[in-house]
Amino acid sequence: MYDGKKIIPGLVLFLGIVTYPIWHNTVSGKTSYVPKPEIPADKKECVEPKAFIRINHKDLLDDWRTSVVRSGIRIYQASNKKKYTMSLNRTCMDCHKDKTKFCDQCHNYMGVRNDCWDCHMYPKELKAGVK
Amino acid sequence: MEFSRRGFLKIAGLTFLGLAAKPGWEVISKVKPSESSPAPNYFSGKKWGMVIDLKKCWEAKEEDIESINTCHRIHNVPSIQSIKEEIKWIWTIEYEKTFPEHIHDFNEEEYKGRSVIVLCNQCDDPPCTKYCPTRATWKREDGIVMMDFHRCIGCRYCMAGCPYGSRSFNWRDPRPFIKKVNLEFPTRTKGVVEKCNFCEERLSQGLLPACVEARKDKAIIFGDLNDPHSEIRRAFHGRHILQRQPELGTKPKVFYIV
């Protein structure tokens, strides 16, 4: 090989730079990071089973929004026949008081952005500074 | 062992069936949310309207201010001190600007310059809703002209369509201009149009609109226009009834009595 002394270290350097994000994250422990949404200790159940909420919370919230704003239906009957007021502020955030400890945990991890909080507020936010 | 083509197909078929069993079962046994409870029919048969007794309003001006402040406080309406950017749901203007068609040279002096409380007229034939390209504003069955802030794209066609100037646009984030945020009602965001919603969120809880409840002089009466025995219908008896610019054909459901 011509110029092997230059090519091989060059290739090693190149591969090192290209794979930098992978081994940097491995060394700093980021690859083993798991989002930890804080579950309120004093509450036993959500409006629907955890498995359903995990996958479908966005559709559920969308349905609630449409139902309340467009159709004026404000009561949600859950699969266990319990009734809940369809409200982000009053129902969801009544248990999950701080969105930074719950919603943001997974949303930030997955790089998901939503516009809910441009208008809606959560109780902790009020205490923290919004007048 | 001789492995026949037929035997191979049998085994392969059974293997695929076996592999499909788990995902197939997951589809069938999937947790499904139950349907939400059937809608209570509070829209049907009702036609909400409002009567404003101008004689009573003119006797106690501070009650008007109380109505305005209560509404704006409950609905997180920001107070921005600029005519271009101000947000208003309910406010006052002079008599001659409210009812320009009633003004002539011999108007009673007492009417001129008097402030009249105005809000979204909740028109029966609203021009604003026809302009909205996203159906963010529409007339509900009970006559309330609704706003869906989620759908509003901020094109402001509805503002051009409203002949009463009842709609305001959020040119900037309103939150810094709200003195004390009410958690029960969302704020708005930059780029949406807002207006009086006839307190539909309060009506759903069986409460009267905030502007009606805030005042003691009963100058604003709210009720069902379809019910001939309602307080609002009785308020019309023997009184001269005005509407804002009725000649436009918008059929306002906010009436004024003098």
Side-chain angles (χ1 to χ4, degrees):
Chain A
M1 193 192 279
Y2 299 110
D3 289 331
K5 279 180 190 152
K6 286 180 195 163
I7 292 170
I8 291 166
L11 274 175
V12 170
L13 193 68
F14 173 74
L15 283 175
I17 292 168
V18 165
T19 55
Y20 173 78
I22 296 168
W23 56 260
H24 177 263
N25 281 353
T26 316
V27 168
S28 64
K30 267 191 185 166
T31 41
S32 59
Y33 172 80
V34 182
K36 292 179 206 68
E38 193 183 275
I39 308 290
D42 52 334
K43 300 288 188 332
K44 287 207 175 56
E45 56 173 12
C46 196
V47 293
E48 292 288 349
K50 198 171 173 180
F52 176 83
I53 289 289
R54 254 196 198 161
I55 304 165
N56 298 317
H57 63 279
K58 43 210 179 287
D59 297 327
L60 184 88
L61 286 172
D62 261 3
D63 288 349
W64 280 20
R65 174 184 73 185
T66 310
S67 174
V68 171
V69 181
R70 311 296 297 195
S71 327
I73 303 167
R74 287 179 149 82
I75 302 296
Y76 176 72
Q77 193 176 14
S79 51
N80 60 3
K81 303 286 173 214
K82 278 194 186 170
K83 285 182 178 168
Y84 296 94
T85 308
M86 290 193 252
S87 168
L88 180 65
N89 287 31
R90 269 173 280 163
T91 307
C92 303
M93 303 319 276
D94 190 40
C95 298
H96 308 287
K97 288 196 165 42
D98 191 349
K99 72 135 183 154
T100 55
K101 288 184 180 152
F102 186 72
C103 315
D104 287 356
Q105 288 294 318
C106 297
H107 289 170
N108 288 349
Y109 178 66
M110 297 300 289
V112 174
R113 211 194 86 79
N114 50 32
D115 302 325
C116 309
W117 311 105
D118 288 356
C119 297
H120 292 275
M121 283 155 295
Y122 54 102
K124 271 277 161 62
E125 187 184 17
L126 277 190
K127 281 180 200 154
V130 176
K131 285 170 282 174
Chain B
M1 193 184 85
E2 186 77 16
F3 204 41
S4 70
R5 181 189 155 93
R6 193 181 161 81
F8 170 76
L9 284 176
K10 271 184 190 167
I11 303 269
L14 279 175
T15 313
F16 279 118
L17 201 66
L19 287 174
K22 192 172 178 277
W25 174 248
E26 276 171 2
V27 168
I28 297 162
S29 65
K30 200 176 170 189
V31 198
K32 283 204 178 93
S34 64
E35 290 292 304
S36 50
S37 49
N41 270 341
Y42 35 64
F43 291 172
S44 59
K46 291 258 197 299
K47 194 173 173 182
W48 299 117
M50 192 176 262
V51 166
I52 297 171
D53 191 330
L54 289 178
K55 283 268 158 67
K56 277 185 186 167
C57 280
W58 290 337
E59 275 164 25
K61 232 178 175 178
E62 64 282 357
E63 297 274 339
D64 282 359
I65 295 160
E66 186 60 29
S67 277
I68 294 165
N69 288 347
T70 309
C71 168
H72 286 189
R73 192 182 66 238
I74 284 178
H75 297 113
N76 291 328
V77 177
S79 53
I80 302 174
Q81 308 297 333
S82 129
I83 292 168
K84 190 192 160 201
E85 294 187 22
E86 69 175 346
I87 310 278
K88 48 200 193 329
W89 282 34
I90 174 167
W91 68 105
T92 55
I93 48 175
E94 293 93 10
Y95 180 87
E96 56 270 30
K97 285 182 185 163
T98 321
F99 307 106
E101 68 281 2
H102 288 282
I103 294 302
H104 46 79
D105 290 347
F106 311 103
N107 259 101
E108 284 181 73
E109 274 303 311
E110 59 167 331
Y111 286 4
K112 278 188 182 154
R114 291 291 187 115
S115 66
V116 175
I117 203 155
V118 291
L119 63 157
C120 168
N121 278 308
Q122 310 290 345
C123 305
D124 215 20
D125 194 1
C128 53
T129 61
K130 290 167 195 155
Y131 289 105
C132 182
T134 59
R135 293 273 152 149
T137 186
W138 79 103
K139 198 183 93 174
R140 216 163 70 169
E141 285 109 276
D142 59 355
I144 296 182
V145 179
M146 294 279 293
M147 256 314 287
D148 184 349
F149 304 118
H150 303 101
R151 277 202 202 182
C152 180
I153 55 168
C155 69
R156 293 179 283 138
Y157 283 5
C158 57
M159 291 173 74
C162 176
Y164 307 104
S166 298
R167 290 172 167 271
S168 311
F169 183 68
N170 284 281
W171 290 94
R172 57 172 85 201
D173 179 22
R175 277 201 191 166
F177 299 92
I178 303 169
K179 279 187 208 84
K180 195 175 179 301
V181 172
N182 172 23
L183 257 185
E184 295 290 305
F185 201 80
T187 64
R188 265 69 62 194
T189 183
K190 183 178 162 183
V192 298
V193 171
E194 62 180 271
K195 68 168 195 77
C196 157
N197 64 352
F198 244 22
C199 279
E200 70 75 37
E201 86 284 357
R202 287 172 62 87
L203 293 178
S204 74
Q205 297 169 44
L207 297 166
L208 279 172
C211 56
V212 180
E213 208 178 79
R215 55 199 304 152
K216 291 171 221 82
D217 61 358
K218 293 208 165 187
I220 306 181
I221 300 160
F222 181 85
D224 182 8
L225 290 168
N226 280 349
D227 177 8
H229 305 293
S230 62
E231 198 185 349
I232 184 168
R233 285 282 293 272
R234 276 179 309 195
F236 288 140
H237 289 304
R239 301 291 292 269
H240 183 51
I241 306 165
L242 297 177
Q243 278 174 309
R244 284 180 74 192
Q245 290 163 277
E247 72 280 8
L248 298 173
T250 56
K251 299 181 195 151
K253 288 200 291 291
V254 175
F255 300 88
Y256 296 85
I257 49 178
V258 283

